[in-house]
Amino acid sequence: MAAEPELRVLCLHSFRTNAKILDVQLDMCGWRRRFPRVEFVVLDAPYACDDVDEAAMASPGNSGKPILEFFPKKDYGPYREWWNA
């Protein structure tokens, strides 16, 4: 039987990414390996990005472009937002 985690940490992904991407990032950085008694709780934002938002992410000089390159939608699912104003 697995031991109860000593600590739960709420992890909120960044703007226009998603929980699956953050899971990969946590694993790549070794957080779960370094802290085996910590449960990292990762949630998806409530709003899905629409096509206009994704087009803006791909524009030259936009900080979202690396997300599209390293975490393509076809493999990582829809990108999400915490707010959509």
Side-chain angles (χ1 to χ4, degrees):
M1 179 182 338
E4 278 289 309
E6 291 182 7
L7 179 67
R8 287 192 177 115
V9 176
L10 176 61
C11 303
L12 302 176
H13 63 78
S14 60
F15 188 59
R16 294 184 179 158
T17 64
N18 61 36
K20 188 173 182 180
I21 292 171
L22 182 54
D23 267 331
V24 170
Q25 292 172 324
L26 287 170
D27 288 338
M28 288 173 64
C29 292
W31 282 90
R32 288 191 175 100
R33 187 176 61 254
R34 279 185 237 159
F35 302 103
R37 295 162 135 182
V38 175
E39 178 184 359
F40 295 95
V41 179
V42 182
L43 302 177
D44 260 330
Y47 302 104
C49 293
D50 58 26
D51 293 337
V52 173
D53 295 332
E54 289 181 30
M57 289 171 65
S59 64
N62 190 305
S63 61
K65 192 168 182 166
I67 296 297
L68 296 171
E69 292 173 6
F70 294 112
F71 302 105
K73 185 177 179 178
K74 67 180 177 60
D75 297 327
Y76 291 92
Y79 305 113
R80 311 218 32 106
E81 302 173 323
W82 292 103
W83 71 92
N84 193 338

